[in-house]
Structures are given as structure tokens and as C-alpha cells.
Amino acid sequence: MYQKFQISGKVFKTLGLKMKVLIAVSFGSLLFILSYSNNFNNKLLDATTKVDIKETEKPVDKLIGGLLTADFDEGSCLSRYHKYFLYRKPSPYKPSEYLVSKLRSYEMLHKRCGPDTKSYKEAIEKLSRDDASESNGECRYIVWVAGYGLGNRLLTLASVFLYALLTERIILVDNRKDVSDLLCEPFPGTSWLLPLDFPMLNYTYAWGYNKEYPRCYGTMSEKHSINSTSIPPHLYMHNLHDSRDSDKLFVCQKDQSLIDKVPWLIVQANVYFVPSLWFNPTFQTELVKLFPQKETVFHHLARYLFHPTNEVWDMVTDYYHAHLSKADERLGIQIRVFGKPDGRFKHVIDQVISCTQREKLLPEFATPEESKVNISKNPKLKSVLVASLYPEFSGNLTNMFSKRPSSTGEIVEVYQPSGERVQQTDKKSHDQKALAEMYLLSLTDNIVTSARSTFGYVSYSLGGLKPWLLYQPTNFTTPNPPCVRSKSMEPCYLTPPSHGCEADSGTNSGKILPFVRHCEDLIYGGLKLYDEF
């Protein structure tokens, strides 16, 4: 701008006095006008900004009561600090000060012992030599090996991390199953990803880790081949669908007295085994301080550990803004069909309608007389988010509510982000969609999920929601009643041990904990944490 108003000295000298005065006055006036205009615009912008902030200002706790650390760059993982205040009201469940302190201490330990540190390299060298004669000092490790299914993986990751927190071990995550494509790093200044040159990785191919593995703890325990004088440098902990009580009860105090001396643990699990940790009196004392509200364990751990990558978070935000943001109320419905449905979905649709209308989650259909009366100029909009492998469910619900008005005058819109028919675990795009849908479900106001579905467990617990659980149908028949409201937002431990730590083997007795009870969505078995008695 300044170049445009330059006048050379020679030209200026040749001008007459009147012309010089005229130019000087004109130029000064122009500068004043520009300055005033710019100042006015800035003040106007400031005023507008202040009004906008004042009108939309909300108390934002992006660190969730200290659950998260501020030591991350926000842009590298947008979901970390943004996901809990953009859409829903803040969670009423606050982390305890003790949990916050414990997490900060763990982060420092992980930074001292994590990959690429001197301590890690020394521990790896001893492991490679199969040497347990010397201690690794403060650095002991637990390696998480992925099982099948994204819901299972997230539940077991949280379980293994809590065990690591209780035993002061470093969790390292097997990254060959797309973890880094789904989740950001949870610990600052270090990594939780297990380096690919880890010497024990070869066993994990083709389900190499199983009950027959020579250092499977359950098998060694049954054979009495492990004791305080024969501590191996590593142990494998087997907690899958075919696990025995000897595998599941590794959490007990007498077992921990041995396991605690082992430098490396390798865990493969597909269940949420957190309820069993309360069987150990030492763990229980610590757990009560960490989680005064017992049903908040997964809710807090998931919000601390699991932050979708920017690619996944874009899917969440784009879909939310396009389909859910304008709704007055949002209902999530997650439907898992076990077995091969062979196109038979009517009994499930009937069950969903029966549950949601009985529980006043969706309006009844209007009679001809009601449809004439319930005409509102500003009807309430209810958005229904359906998550399922089968698109038939959202299609049927859409047809029902588009052809028949509701008895309340509400407008019901139904959306389903995907319907791939076949579960494709380990396919990057499939797992990213699945994680995005879990987060979308967690952002709803109410949620209905299928019994025994770990996908559903993650979704409602992440959102701090107590779900309505759809009973599992039998013989393609709609259950009666169709669903039950859970009294806890904790996931269910689907295959717990047959007894607690103090029971004799083979009995079904043992010390009963009033806050560890059977799951509502299972007829037999299953354990879950409750605060309501």
C-alpha cells in the first residue's frame, strides 16, 4: 500500500505551493479515514466476538477433572480434548483424585521404562537370554495380544491396563492388529506400542499362544510346575473363551505372590475381567480408592485410554453434524444378531419396537383420530441411530415411522451409518467404521443394546449411559419382556470363574461381594460391578 502513495522528491519540488498543500491535506485525510475505518472494524470484530463468546460460553473441562494430562499437542489427536464437550452435556461421573494421581505416576513410570529407553533395552536383552536371575528394577512389563473383535479388544485393553496400574507394570500393545490406525497414543512423551522386534512375537502367529504353550500360567499352576524357587522370565496368561478357572484366577493373592516376581507377562484375552480383580483383597483396597463409584471403572479408563485418530474422528464429527446435531433428542439402538439369521429379522424388529415403545423411548403410532389432533407447528425431532451389520433394521424402522405418524406428534428420523452384513475384524476400514459408530452411540441421550454384545458394552459405558438391554431371542421368537433397564453402566464379564479366590476348587461358593453380581442380560453366569443394591 505504501508503494502506491510514494511521490519522488524531484517531482514534488516542481509543483506549485497550492498543489503541494492540496496533496498534503488530501493524503492526511485519506490516512485518517483508513485508520478510523480499520479501528472501527477491529472494535466491531471484538464486540461481535465477545457477544458470540458470551452467548455460547460454557464451562469447558477438556481435561475431564484431571483424568487427562495437558501434555499433548491438540492437533495431533483432535478427539483427545474435544470429544467430551462438543455434543453432549458433561459426564456427571468425576474421576477420584486418587485415580488422577495414580495416572500421573503411571505416565512417569512408562516414560522411564517404555520402548527405546535404556531400561527397556536391558529388559529385552535378559528376556532374549531367558534369564530371570536378575531383577529389572522398577520396570516390569505386561504385553497385550489382540483377540478377535473390536469390542473385545477395547474391553480387554482396559482390563489389562487396570491390572498394570494395580501391579505397577508397563503395558505394551501388540500393534499388528491396526491399533495405531484406530487410537492415538495415550501416554505423553512415550509410546505404548510394542516394538516389532520383540522376541516373543513369533508365538502369536496362528494362535501360537494357547493353553498348551509351555509357560501358560494356568497349565503350570495345575501341574504345580511353578513355585517361588523356579520363577521364569516370562509367563503367558490365557483368558479366552476356553479358559479354565486356573487361567482366570491368576488375580488371586496366592497366585499374585508368584506372578509378581515374573518380569514379563503376555496376556491374550477376549473378556472384560475387571470384576474378578475385586476378588483379591489387596487389589480391592486399592480399587475402592481409585473408583469410589464402582460402576465407573470402564467409563473412566476408556475416556483416559481411547482417543480415536483424526481419520476416525472426522467420520464421527461429519456424521454427527449431518444427521444428529439438529435433533431435540437422540436414541441409539445397537443390534447384534448371533448365529446366522438367514434373513429372518421380523422377531428382532418386533422386539426393538416393543422395547422402545414400552419404555417410552420411541412414541406409539398414532390412531387416525390422533393423527388429526396432534398437528404441531414446531414438532419435536427425535433422531434414531442404528448400529448393526444388517441394514434391514433401519429400513424397517424408517418405513414404520414415515408411513404412520407418532401419537405424540414427534418426527422420528432413522439413520444407520453402515450395514456390511459380515464382521471384518482386522480390515482397517471396517474397524474404523466400527469405532466411529461406538463413539456416535456414546453421544446419544438414551441407548438400547443387544445382550452379550461387547460392541454395545463399549458404547454405553463410554457414554456414561445405563442401557436398555435386549434379551437374546430363542427360536426366532420375540422375548417377553423384550428388554431390561440395567442398573449399571459397567460391561459384563461374560465368562467368569466358577468361584472366587477363597473357594475350594470345584465348588460354587466363595466370598460374595455385594457389588459384584450377575449381569441382567444373561440367564446364567456373567459378573458385573454395581453401585445400586
Side-chain angles (χ1 to χ4, degrees):
M1 184 177 96
Y2 297 111
Q3 296 297 324
K4 292 180 181 178
F5 287 96
Q6 279 183 350
I7 301 175
S8 71
K10 290 181 180 180
V11 172
F12 192 80
K13 289 178 182 178
T14 61
L15 297 176
L17 178 61
K18 291 184 179 179
M19 184 59 70
K20 289 178 182 178
V21 172
L22 180 61
I23 290 174
V25 172
S26 300
F27 189 75
S29 300
L30 180 60
L31 287 176
F32 175 80
I33 292 169
L34 287 172
S35 176
Y36 179 84
S37 175
N38 188 50
N39 201 26
F40 178 79
N41 286 336
N42 286 338
K43 288 182 177 179
L44 182 61
L45 180 61
D46 289 343
T48 305
T49 304
K50 287 176 182 177
V51 170
D52 288 343
I53 290 173
K54 190 174 182 180
E55 288 179 353
T56 62
E57 190 172 10
K58 296 178 182 178
V60 173
D61 178 18
K62 68 178 184 180
L63 301 183
I64 320 175
L67 192 67
L68 303 181
T69 175
D71 295 342
F72 283 97
D73 170 59
E74 292 195 23
S76 65
C77 184
L78 294 172
S79 67
R80 190 189 313 275
Y81 300 124
H82 294 184
K83 61 180 173 286
Y84 300 113
F85 59 82
L86 286 180
Y87 307 127
R88 291 182 67 238
K89 56 188 176 184
S91 170
Y93 305 100
K94 306 302 179 186
S96 68
E97 291 183 7
Y98 190 72
L99 174 60
V100 170
S101 173
K102 194 81 171 179
L103 292 174
R104 296 296 87 81
S105 297
Y106 174 84
E107 289 163 3
M108 290 187 286
L109 178 64
H110 198 110
K111 193 177 293 187
R112 294 193 298 270
C113 300
D116 294 328
T117 63
K118 180 181 177 182
S119 297
Y120 174 81
K121 292 172 183 176
E122 290 175 351
I124 285 292
E125 186 179 343
K126 293 174 186 175
L127 179 64
S128 300
R129 296 198 310 262
D130 205 33
D131 179 11
S133 60
E134 296 181 25
S135 167
N136 288 339
E138 67 173 350
C139 300
R140 295 173 305 129
Y141 300 87
I142 184 165
V143 175
W144 173 86
V145 176
Y148 185 78
L150 184 59
N152 294 339
R153 289 177 181 175
L154 296 177
L155 293 177
T156 60
L157 255 178
S159 302
V160 172
F161 175 70
L162 180 55
Y163 177 77
L165 206 61
L166 292 169
T167 57
E168 297 183 341
R169 287 182 180 270
I170 303 301
I171 184 173
L172 295 174
V173 173
D174 178 10
N175 187 37
R176 293 169 300 159
K177 303 293 185 180
D178 71 15
V179 171
S180 60
D181 292 323
L182 302 174
L183 300 172
C184 303
E185 292 275 4
F187 314 129
T190 183
S191 176
W192 72 339
L193 299 178
L194 182 71
L196 293 176
D197 60 357
F198 180 67
M200 311 302 297
L201 274 184
N202 291 336
Y203 285 103
T204 63
Y205 287 106
W207 302 96
Y209 281 120
N210 51 44
K211 291 184 292 186
E212 283 67 47
Y213 181 69
R215 285 180 177 164
C216 175
Y217 177 74
T219 301
M220 295 180 76
S221 178
E222 289 184 351
K223 293 180 177 180
H224 304 288
S225 59
I226 182 172
N227 56 57
S228 58
T229 61
S230 61
I231 301 297
H234 78 275
L235 282 174
Y236 165 60
M237 322 302 286
H238 186 78
N239 206 342
L240 298 172
H241 62 282
D242 61 344
S243 295
R244 306 150 295 188
D245 279 351
S246 57
D247 297 304
K248 299 170 186 177
L249 292 172
F250 75 95
V251 299
C252 296
Q253 209 155 1
K254 65 179 180 62
D255 299 85
Q256 285 298 307
S257 63
L258 290 174
I259 294 171
D260 195 55
K261 300 173 183 177
V262 179
W264 288 87
L265 301 181
I266 299 167
V267 178
Q268 187 171 216
N270 64 356
V271 290
Y272 181 70
F273 60 82
V274 164
S276 67
L277 295 173
W278 298 75
F279 294 165
N280 183 322
T282 303
F283 289 169
Q284 186 181 143
T285 301
E286 189 78 355
L287 286 164
V288 168
K289 292 189 291 183
L290 290 168
F291 304 101
Q293 292 175 288
K294 299 171 184 66
E295 66 170 309
T296 63
V297 176
F298 186 81
H299 181 59
H300 289 322
L301 292 181
R303 294 189 303 159
Y304 173 73
L305 284 175
F306 305 143
H307 311 289
T309 59
N310 287 351
E311 188 175 358
V312 176
W313 192 240
D314 282 346
M315 297 180 188
V316 176
T317 54
D318 289 350
Y319 199 88
Y320 188 93
H321 286 305
H323 302 294
L324 304 177
S325 61
K326 294 180 175 61
D328 297 296
E329 187 177 333
R330 288 160 286 275
L331 172 66
I333 301 177
Q334 180 267 335
I335 304 172
R336 169 74 188 273
V337 179
F338 292 91
K340 297 181 179 180
D342 298 323
R344 289 180 280 186
F345 297 111
K346 186 179 184 304
H347 66 288
V348 181
I349 291 292
D350 291 344
Q351 180 182 9
V352 170
I353 290 295
S354 175
C355 171
T356 53
Q357 291 186 334
R358 190 186 73 163
E359 300 295 331
K360 310 299 182 186
L361 299 171
L362 286 178
E364 301 277 349
F365 298 115
T367 63
E369 291 75 17
E370 288 175 328
S371 60
K372 295 176 183 177
V373 175
N374 291 325
I375 299 175
S376 173
K377 292 183 179 179
N378 297 300
K380 184 178 178 181
L381 174 61
K382 179 170 287 189
S383 289
V384 180
L385 178 74
V386 177
S388 175
L389 288 173
Y390 302 99
E392 286 86 347
F393 295 120
S394 60
N396 275 275
L397 287 171
T398 298
N399 288 337
M400 288 179 184
F401 283 100
S402 63
K403 293 178 180 178
R404 302 174 63 183
S406 66
S407 59
T408 59
E410 292 174 284
I411 296 175
V412 177
E413 295 181 349
V414 182
Y415 303 99
Q416 183 170 343
S418 68
E420 301 189 354
R421 298 194 175 277
V422 178
Q423 186 170 338
Q424 303 172 60
T425 300
D426 295 334
K427 183 179 178 181
K428 176 182 173 180
S429 61
H430 177 86
D431 286 347
Q432 287 183 327
K433 289 176 188 176
L435 183 61
E437 290 180 29
M438 287 178 183
Y439 272 88
L440 284 167
L441 285 170
S442 78
L443 297 171
T444 56
D445 301 297
N446 292 299
I447 189 169
V448 178
T449 71
S450 293
R452 297 176 54 227
S453 171
T454 56
F455 189 112
Y457 292 165
V458 171
S459 302
Y460 69 67
S461 190
L462 187 63
L465 301 167
K466 293 183 180 180
W468 282 263
L469 298 166
L470 296 166
Y471 288 115
Q472 188 172 344
T474 56
N475 301 320
F476 300 100
T477 303
T478 300
N480 185 22
C483 61
V484 61
R485 179 78 186 273
S486 178
K487 293 182 178 180
S488 169
M489 61 184 184
E490 269 288 284
C492 176
Y493 182 4
L494 291 169
T495 56
S498 62
H499 57 82
C501 290
E502 296 183 9
D504 295 329
S505 179
T507 69
N508 196 31
S509 58
K511 186 176 180 180
I512 302 299
L513 300 173
F515 48 83
V516 179
R517 304 200 304 276
H518 290 301
C519 310
E520 301 102 331
D521 52 332
L522 297 181
I523 298 175
Y524 303 106
L527 291 179
K528 188 171 178 176
L529 291 166
Y530 294 85
D531 282 309
E532 292 184 33
F533 301 125

